[in-house]
């Protein structure tokens, strides 16, 4: 069992960062890289064994759109990996997974939750290629292809994997229900693109409501399964509160159920924190307390 980290942006906001920006957490690579390193350290201290880098939204086109040169953009993408590696080294152990966020994250229009793109497979391959090779040649241990909402984008990433045969990766889809990724493709079909690929260490789901996780685990065969869902919160306007697995203890209990159902990697995504990861560790080790 491998414990992943939780929501990087969520914890950065807890640490005082203002992420109201199209670059989201990647803007801190420009403004305050030290706080990214601290967030990674906090997750390692909470029990995470993997740090996912702040490169989710850190693409060359996004930085160029902000006015940086392509060379400056490349340096910032590499910095995202270096910060996670520094935190790992300070902690004394761990794995650095270079985040490969979807094209929809660059669009910043919600397309990462629908897979409704204006590029075909060739276009998506070309869009991802520069960042892909920068990260593949970095000090990262593996690539985290995450929050993938589109079957076409998954095919593009499969092509890029073939261009870097020495690099391992995981592939994690964002799903709209218990059987389909966000563009409507059955998860079983999308996962099938990678089942026979020796570079892929796991296939899973993230940025998905916890209530769908058990069903989604059952859709993945032939590779280790990973899940790192959101807290699953929805706003209850009548009672003015969030409903879902925001409570870290409940999230830890649910995570124990996901591992019992066969997930080999478990963590959290949006609105999860180091305390959620601490509770996952507690429930998986059977201690009941962090």
């Amino acid at each position: 069992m491998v414990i992943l980290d939780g929501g990087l942006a969520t914890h950065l906001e807890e640490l005082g960062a203002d992420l109201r920006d199209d670059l989201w957490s990647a803007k801190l690579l420009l403004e305050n890289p030290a706080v990214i390193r601290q967030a990674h350290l906090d997750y390692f201290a909470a029990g995470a064994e993997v740090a996912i880098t702040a490169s989710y939204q850190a693409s060359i086109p996004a930085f160029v759109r902000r006015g940086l040169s392509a060379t400056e953009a490349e340096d910032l993408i590499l910095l995202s990996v270096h910060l996670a590696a520094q935190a790992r080294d300070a902690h004394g152990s761990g794995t650095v997974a270079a985040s490969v966020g979807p094209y929809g994250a660059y669009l910043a229009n919600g397309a990462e939750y629908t897979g409704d793109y204006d590029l075909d497979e060739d276009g998506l391959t070309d869009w991802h290629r520069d960042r892909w090779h920068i990260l593949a040649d970095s000090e990262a241990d593996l690539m985290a292809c995450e929050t993938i909402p589109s079957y076409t984008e998954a095919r593009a990433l499969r092509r890029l994997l073939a261009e870097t045969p020495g690099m391992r990766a995981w592939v994690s889809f964002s799903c709209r229900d218990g059987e389909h990724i966000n563009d409507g493709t059955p998860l079983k079909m999308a996962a099938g693109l990678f089942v026979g690929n020796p570079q892929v260490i796991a296939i899973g789901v993230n940025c998905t409501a916890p209530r769908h996780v058990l069903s989604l685990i059952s859709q993945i065969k032939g590779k280790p399964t990973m899940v790192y869902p959101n807290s699953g919160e929805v706003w209850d306007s009548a009672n003015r509160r969030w409903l879902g697995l925001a409570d870290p203890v409940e999230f830890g209990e649910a995570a124990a159920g996901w591992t019992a159902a066969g997930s080999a990697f478990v963590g959290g995504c949006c609105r999860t924190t180091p305390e959620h990861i601490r509770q996952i560790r507690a429930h998986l080790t059977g201690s009941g307390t962090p």
Side-chain angles (χ1 to χ4, degrees):
M1 170 55 53
V2 178
I3 298 178
L4 308 175
D5 60 9
L8 180 59
T10 300
H11 189 45
L12 288 169
E13 289 177 327
E14 285 188 331
L15 293 174
D18 181 356
L19 302 184
R20 291 173 294 181
D21 190 282
D22 285 352
L23 286 173
W24 201 33
S25 58
K27 84 166 193 164
L28 297 178
L29 294 168
L30 279 164
E31 298 176 359
N32 190 0
V35 75
I36 297 175
R37 184 190 307 110
Q38 184 61 53
H40 289 314
L41 275 169
D42 290 347
Y43 274 117
F44 279 130
E49 299 164 87
V50 181
I52 303 173
T53 66
S55 51
Y56 178 85
Q57 222 142 346
S59 66
I60 289 179
F63 284 131
V64 169
R65 183 170 63 189
R66 184 55 58 90
L68 280 69
S69 69
T71 299
E72 290 170 326
E74 179 174 346
D75 288 344
L76 289 173
I77 292 169
L78 287 171
L79 177 61
S80 72
V81 178
H82 189 55
L83 293 169
Q86 286 180 327
R88 174 203 58 201
D89 294 345
H91 177 67
S93 64
T95 298
V96 174
S99 176
V100 179
Y103 172 61
Y106 162 72
L107 295 176
N109 63 0
E112 64 201 288
Y113 304 111
T114 65
D116 184 13
Y117 289 167
D118 57 358
L119 295 180
D120 61 12
E121 183 178 332
D122 288 340
L124 288 166
T125 304
D126 290 342
W127 186 87
H128 276 285
R129 180 173 281 114
D130 287 344
R131 178 179 61 173
W132 180 275
H133 283 275
I134 291 166
L135 293 173
D137 291 337
S138 75
E139 58 190 310
D141 298 301
L142 55 90
M143 310 279 267
C145 305
E146 56 179 356
T147 324
I148 306 303
S150 158
Y151 183 76
T152 303
E153 188 164 34
R155 289 177 59 91
L157 294 172
R158 183 176 64 169
R159 289 166 62 174
L160 291 170
L161 268 169
E163 294 181 8
T164 53
M167 195 61 175
R168 299 178 304 153
W170 77 56
V171 182
S172 184
F173 296 92
S174 53
C175 298
R176 69 185 192 185
D177 56 32
E179 295 184 3
H180 303 89
I181 68 173
N182 282 342
D183 73 351
T185 303
L187 175 61
K188 189 178 300 184
M189 178 178 171
L193 291 171
F194 302 97
V195 167
N197 192 320
Q199 292 174 252
V200 176
I201 67 166
I203 303 170
V205 299
N206 76 291
C207 214
T208 296
R211 67 183 181 277
H212 300 316
V213 166
L214 287 176
S215 175
L216 291 165
I217 289 172
S218 71
Q219 308 298 310
I220 300 171
K221 308 292 183 184
K223 283 284 185 184
T225 303
M226 68 177 356
V227 297
Y228 51 117
N230 298 335
S231 69
E233 293 169 273
V234 294
W235 181 246
D236 176 0
S237 58
N239 296 298
R240 300 189 60 76
R241 59 176 182 152
W242 289 96
L243 301 175
L245 292 179
D247 180 79
V249 174
E250 292 181 3
F251 198 90
E253 292 171 350
W258 304 330
T259 60
S263 187
F265 298 75
V266 64
C269 201
C270 298
R271 292 188 63 79
T272 63
T273 68
E275 185 57 30
H276 289 76
I277 302 308
R278 192 170 288 110
Q279 287 295 334
I280 290 175
R281 169 69 69 184
H283 284 83
L284 294 188
T285 58
S287 66
T289 57

